[in-house]
Amino acid sequence: MGPTQDSLVQVQPLGGFDKPLTYRNNFRGTESIEPGSLVTIPLGKRKIPGIVWAFEQNIAKPKFKIHNILSVIQATPVLTSELMQLASWISRYYCCSMEACLEAMIPAPVREGMKSKSRRLLFLEKEKLAQMDISTRATSQKKIISFLEKQSQPVNLKLIQEKTSASSATINNLVKKGLIRETQERIERVAYEDDFLDSAESVDHRIELTDEQKVAVTEISTDLNKKAFHTRLLSGVTGSGKTEVYFEAMEFALAGGGGVLFLVPEVALAPQTVSRLRMRFGEEKVVVWHSHLSAGERVDAWRSLIQNESRIVVGARSAVFAPIPKLRLIIVDEEHETSYKQEDTPRYHARDVAVVRAKTTDALCLLGSATPSLETINNVQKGKYGISKLTQRVDNRELPLVHLVDMRREADKIKTLPILSQPLVEALRERCVNGEQSILFLNRRGFNTTMLCPDCGHVEGCKHCSIALTYHRTDGYLKCHLCGYRKPTPRRCSECNSFDLHKRGHGTQKIEDLVAELLPRRTIIRRIDADIMTKKNLFRETLSDFRKGKIDVLVGTQMIAKGLDFPKVTLVGVIDADLPLRMEDFRASERAFQMLVQVSGRSGRGNRAGEVFVQTYAPHSPSIQYARKADLEGFVDEELAMRKEFNYPPYRHLIRHLFRSRSEAKVEFYINKWTKLVNENNFEEITVKGPAPAPIEKMNGYYRYHLFYFTCSVRTALEKLGDIRKQFPLDPEVHDVLDVDAHQIS
Ligand code: ADP
Ligand code: ZN
Ligand code: ZN
């Protein structure tokens, strides 16, 4: 259905205006535009790009002057209609501008109209040449002609210039005269193919599925056969072979003519998955959506999808927007991972967006994890999502034996706070003697410090909220980051009266040094943390060396807990299991549980049984006890009961409202004023908590305060708040932003 000439169209500007504007489409080019086309429009005095959003049907005679679209950058839509719907949903639900959504969804070089790269290939029209007298021609032309005469294939322009030192003007001249003809060849820029090759030894044969895997595959293919939207959780213990189930599901969807999206928390951490995928679906082109793709690579990946050349994408968060044709299946691996939540605008959660996207395309969304998020479990319990379970590791391998090391007793032994306990050090030594591998795991978040009593393990908590208080160095107070409650830092433990209160923190570097001192000299120790992640090659090399057995002990932060499969690891040490528990976040126990089960899952994946040592000051805390037994159900029951009692997520949505300003007085004044206004309105649908200073009170010179809204309906809450926000006279030096379904509260 093409538009008629001179019709009116709505165009969403890319560059400073937040809703579609009306333009006249009198563009009489060869290409006709459609929704999703990229065009240039006038906006004020500027000319900016915009996306054709819709054709206006019954238009009354406009009262204002309507401008023309200036030019068509690209008629082929940069957004499919399905993705345009998704953009509208994201901008509404996450309360962000359409422009911010489009920026996240469409790779910058595509938005800017960057074309695929092609090269000019030239060849000689030999028949034409025979009719001409070449002797009269200039020397440089002769040179080109005699060079081309010797070639059997068309030749790249660059090469001709190199060999004949002819200028492009000379060559173009010959082209004009018809003596030389040219063709274009598209060059594909594929990102680091070799990245995934060295882990390719893993699996190259078909495996016989276990009974549980077979059941799961049947359930999933039944879903897919219905060709209707559905979401299913694949809840499978670590090492139960979830990836194999994903692959079977993919094969089924592809065989039915559908496209597949495979989301992983971080592509760099999934080299094995990618290489297994490439091997399994070798005849298909698998697009890998890296976070560090170059502009050209991104355009080509994008184009190969738009042009139906590939229909499988594997990638992290932003790949949820990949324009996959006929999308039938979306897999979200490790769906509980926080890296799926984007922490700046648009603050979307890729798992939730995946579900919404599946809905718009009648696809199946398959969420997989050994430690599913409570949000997802709640949706299963409500009957919104289906569930398939894998309760056994493949080959009936045992889950590793988990030892809890009570650090309170370790502290007694040496009269100071130990970092590495005796039992863990002994276990490490034993692995070195036997030539087995170990991972030491430290969960460190730089900024937060809580008050921990080394004698009884008590952590100072807020009396209004079920979270720990945070020590603020600036004024020596303990503060609650949820409700704003504060009290002076106590000198004695309020539980056991001990004077020995400590504020704690130590880094991976220190652990690495300590281990080096304690273990035999020939032991090879490497560290993986945020610093190393920035050096891409170093990170890949380290992982690959570890896989090959060239490293004995790997020390790292939570990033090494994500889905890695190293068969030779028989020992995992968790240095500080309580850290996530002490965070000022009601999701702390959930994080602690997930983290412990996931790291433990890295041990004993090969033929030898695995062991895990968990150092803790709170050995009796529920998350640690349940994690020790890998008891997901037990943990979920207890934690959900607590969430229910406080009416926290997943029973209500949490929206965080952050205010920031260079002036502390202003930010405090305005957030108080705003809170008062919200409270006066007494919205039935919204429970307000706060305001309080944010955990990071000052960031980049900005003072930060926040308040929280708990609500059953994000849409209603945003409408009500939006209405009064429009009238609220906020100082231009104070900025505010909403984070819907907030995760990281920093
Ligand atoms: P998960 O993601 O559930 O932790 P993986 O999918 O990584 O587990 O599988 C763990 C290991 O088990 C992998 O090396 C995989 O190749 C292997 N595996 C999976 N399914 C089977 C099976 N049916 N028989 C034998 N090995 C299997
Ligand atoms: Zn509180
Ligand atoms: Zn105490």
Side-chain angles (χ1 to χ4, degrees):
M1 182 207 67
T4 53
Q5 298 281 305
D6 276 357
S7 56
L8 295 188
V9 289
Q10 293 210 307
V11 179
Q12 170 65 52
L14 295 174
F17 205 85
D18 202 40
K19 61 174 205 246
L21 300 172
T22 303
Y23 287 89
R24 191 182 305 282
N25 170 30
N26 72 337
F27 185 71
R28 297 180 201 282
T30 45
E31 303 171 295
S32 73
I33 56 168
E34 51 186 310
S37 296
L38 195 62
V39 294
T40 314
I41 46 170
L43 186 71
K45 288 207 170 84
R46 294 179 301 154
K47 292 175 190 171
I48 58 165
I51 294 176
V52 175
W53 209 250
F55 290 98
E56 291 196 357
Q57 299 294 317
N58 322 298
I59 308 146
K61 198 168 160 48
K63 293 188 188 72
F64 47 90
K65 180 167 162 29
I66 292 188
H67 294 279
N68 291 334
I69 289 177
L70 297 175
S71 65
V72 178
I73 303 173
Q74 182 187 315
T76 319
V78 293
L79 267 192
T80 59
S81 64
E82 169 230 339
L83 287 171
M84 287 167 85
Q85 264 183 61
L86 195 65
S88 304
W89 180 82
I90 290 174
S91 117
R92 236 179 307 127
Y93 186 85
Y94 291 105
C95 198
C96 62
S97 73
M98 181 58 85
E99 194 176 354
C101 287
L102 296 176
E103 267 170 23
M105 294 178 81
I106 312 169
V110 175
R111 278 194 323 263
E112 286 149 14
M114 178 168 167
K115 297 275 186 288
S116 289
K117 199 172 165 190
S118 58
R119 31 180 210 178
R120 286 172 74 186
L121 295 179
L122 303 171
F123 59 95
L124 201 61
E125 285 279 17
K126 297 212 166 114
E127 285 161 24
K128 266 250 169 88
L129 183 67
Q131 302 159 10
M132 284 186 189
D133 182 8
I134 175 167
S135 60
T136 63
R137 303 203 162 262
T139 29
S140 65
Q141 293 193 355
K142 269 191 222 159
K143 246 187 180 168
I144 299 171
I145 291 168
S146 63
F147 172 73
L148 282 176
E149 265 187 311
K150 289 180 223 132
Q151 313 297 324
S152 52
Q153 302 266 329
V155 188
N156 183 3
L157 175 71
K158 278 239 179 70
L159 187 69
I160 302 177
Q161 288 179 314
E162 247 172 60
K163 295 285 178 193
T164 66
S165 48
S167 69
S168 28
T170 319
I171 297 175
N172 285 342
N173 224 334
L174 288 171
V175 173
K176 245 186 243 155
K177 294 202 172 102
L179 211 52
I180 293 180
R181 278 254 306 269
E182 68 173 319
T183 59
Q184 300 272 334
E185 184 191 59
R186 209 175 104 203
I187 313 171
E188 187 110 19
R189 289 150 294 195
V190 178
Y192 350 100
E193 277 298 338
D194 57 316
D195 268 32
F196 301 102
L197 291 181
D198 69 307
S199 49
E201 20 33 79
S202 31
V203 191
D204 56 353
H205 56 279
R206 283 297 164 102
I207 352 184
E208 171 75 13
L209 293 183
T210 65
D211 290 345
E212 284 188 330
Q213 283 174 322
K214 280 184 197 153
V215 172
V217 169
T218 310
E219 288 165 340
I220 294 164
S221 34
T222 310
D223 290 342
L224 283 167
N225 266 334
K226 288 182 190 146
K227 297 192 175 17
F229 164 61
H230 188 56
T231 307
R232 174 175 293 277
L233 169 64
L234 178 63
S235 175
V237 299
T238 55
S240 59
K242 291 185 286 294
T243 315
E244 215 43 49
V245 175
Y246 299 147
F247 286 2
E248 292 286 321
M250 289 174 69
E251 203 160 290
F252 197 87
L254 292 166
V260 178
L261 170 60
F262 192 140
L263 293 178
V264 291
E266 161 68 69
V267 182
L269 288 169
Q272 288 161 304
T273 308
V274 175
S275 63
R276 275 162 72 182
L277 208 76
R278 285 235 158 106
M279 250 177 302
R280 179 77 170 257
F281 301 102
E283 68 286 4
E284 296 268 352
K285 191 160 117 195
V286 178
V287 172
V288 182
W289 210 266
H290 288 265
S291 48
H292 303 293
L293 287 184
S294 74
E297 289 157 354
R298 212 165 270 278
V299 170
D300 290 345
W302 172 273
R303 209 157 295 273
S304 76
L305 291 168
I306 287 275
Q307 294 171 346
N308 276 306
E309 286 162 18
S310 30
R311 48 181 187 152
I312 305 178
V313 170
V314 51
R317 191 170 60 218
S318 65
V320 76
F321 303 122
I324 300 164
K326 299 202 196 84
L327 187 57
R328 286 286 312 285
L329 172 67
I330 306 180
I331 295 163
V332 185
D333 191 21
E334 312 288 351
E335 66 88 27
H336 65 278
E337 276 291 343
T338 44
S339 56
Y340 283 123
K341 177 81 159 78
Q342 170 135 316
E343 292 298 349
D344 49 324
T345 311
R347 296 165 185 263
Y348 67 93
H349 196 301
R351 176 202 57 219
D352 301 339
V353 172
V355 173
V356 174
R357 187 167 179 197
K359 198 170 173 184
T360 60
T361 57
D362 293 326
L364 171 68
C365 190
L366 182 61
L367 311 176
S369 177
T371 52
S373 64
L374 292 176
E375 279 76 8
T376 296
I377 299 223
N378 184 241
N379 280 320
V380 171
Q381 291 181 350
K382 284 195 292 192
K384 272 174 80 176
Y385 296 178
I387 182 167
S388 300
K389 288 184 186 173
L390 304 176
T391 60
Q392 304 289 321
R393 281 190 157 185
V394 293
D395 293 343
N396 293 317
R397 270 168 219 153
E398 295 287 319
L399 280 170
L401 189 61
V402 180
H403 309 276
L404 296 183
V405 184
D406 188 339
M407 294 304 274
R408 295 170 303 181
R409 267 191 251 145
E410 289 289 312
D412 277 350
K413 281 190 222 156
I414 55 172
K415 296 292 165 225
T416 166
L417 278 187
I419 296 173
L420 293 174
S421 63
Q422 272 306 311
L424 178 55
V425 173
E426 272 157 32
L428 276 168
R429 287 203 176 115
E430 199 188 303
R431 294 311 186 284
C432 289
V433 172
N434 297 341
E436 294 171 14
Q437 288 182 303
S438 313
I439 299 180
L440 285 181
F441 178 80
L442 175 77
N443 195 31
R444 175 149 171 74
R445 290 257 307 262
F447 55 86
N448 49 19
T449 330
T450 51
M451 280 299 191
L452 167 81
C453 171
D455 292 332
C456 75
H458 172 72
V459 177
E460 288 292 324
C462 175
K463 59 177 186 181
H464 304 299
C465 315
S466 61
I467 59 165
L469 291 173
T470 299
Y471 174 71
H472 283 242
R473 210 169 306 141
T474 40
D475 56 8
Y477 272 81
L478 290 179
K479 295 180 191 172
C480 170
H481 288 152
L482 203 51
C483 73
Y485 168 77
R486 51 189 257 161
K487 68 175 188 183
T489 304
R491 287 204 280 157
R492 289 162 163 260
C493 170
S494 59
E495 204 61 31
C496 74
N497 261 331
S498 161
F499 268 113
D500 251 351
L501 284 185
H502 288 274
K503 301 182 278 290
R504 312 178 21 116
H506 40 241
T508 40
Q509 175 92 57
K510 184 153 181 195
I511 305 281
E512 187 186 0
D513 295 347
L514 254 177
V515 175
E517 265 170 45
L518 292 166
L519 294 184
R521 197 167 283 211
R522 60 186 161 74
T523 315
I524 300 179
I525 307 163
R526 288 284 177 279
R527 177 164 51 94
I528 287 193
D529 55 20
D531 302 338
I532 283 194
M533 274 300 267
T534 56
K535 300 177 194 118
K536 198 167 137 277
N537 287 329
L538 188 56
F539 172 66
R540 280 191 291 146
E541 274 166 34
T542 309
L543 279 188
S544 150
D545 284 353
F546 191 59
R547 186 169 294 118
K548 289 179 191 142
K550 291 190 196 161
I551 296 170
D552 302 304
V553 182
L554 191 64
V555 179
T557 49
Q558 62 258 43
M559 61 187 60
I560 55 176
K562 284 178 196 166
L564 296 177
D565 187 16
F566 299 120
K568 292 177 205 116
V569 174
T570 59
L571 173 69
V572 164
V574 181
I575 308 287
D576 190 348
D578 314 329
L579 233 158
L581 272 178
R582 275 180 264 128
M583 290 191 339
E584 57 300 300
D585 180 350
F586 66 88
R587 286 195 178 87
S589 343
E590 185 181 359
R591 298 257 173 284
F593 176 81
Q594 289 167 342
M595 179 276 277
L596 276 179
V597 172
Q598 293 289 346
V599 264
S600 304
R602 301 310 120 213
S603 181
R605 293 172 78 94
N607 299 324
R608 279 174 279 191
E611 256 187 319
V612 180
F613 285 80
V614 176
Q615 302 190 153
T616 171
Y617 285 91
H620 303 295
S621 74
S623 46
I624 288 181
Q625 282 297 327
Y626 287 120
R628 187 174 71 85
K629 294 176 279 181
D631 180 1
L632 177 65
E633 275 174 33
F635 173 74
V636 163
D637 288 348
E638 179 158 340
E639 184 65 14
L640 279 181
M642 190 284 279
R643 300 279 184 94
K644 181 113 214 169
E645 189 185 323
F646 286 88
N647 225 337
Y648 281 161
Y651 297 103
R652 282 190 300 181
H653 292 271
L654 172 68
I655 304 174
R656 179 197 194 205
H657 197 170
L658 181 73
F659 286 63
R660 62 192 183 95
S661 172
R662 291 195 182 276
S663 151
E664 186 167 21
K666 276 189 182 169
V667 74
E668 218 182 327
F669 174 79
Y670 279 98
I671 199 167
N672 284 330
K673 191 169 167 177
W674 166 257
T675 310
K676 202 162 153 257
L677 179 66
V678 178
N679 284 331
E680 277 164 10
N681 273 276
N682 225 338
F683 298 120
E684 205 183 300
E685 302 84 354
I686 306 171
T687 309
V688 184
K689 269 205 174 218
I696 307 175
E697 280 184 87
K698 195 177 175 189
M699 192 193 267
N700 295 332
Y702 283 90
Y703 292 90
R704 310 161 81 239
Y705 276 70
H706 56 193
L707 81 160
F708 295 90
Y709 313 115
F710 290 88
T711 181
C712 287
S713 165
V714 168
R715 202 171 48 115
T716 321
L718 291 182
E719 270 168 27
K720 304 257 150 132
L721 293 169
D723 283 347
I724 57 168
R725 177 68 181 78
K726 271 180 223 137
Q727 318 292 331
F728 185 71
L730 190 64
D731 188 287
E733 280 173 32
V734 183
H735 309 277
D736 67 328
V737 63
L738 289 166
D739 188 358
V740 176
D741 295 329
H743 271 249
Q744 196 192 83
I745 294 164
S746 55

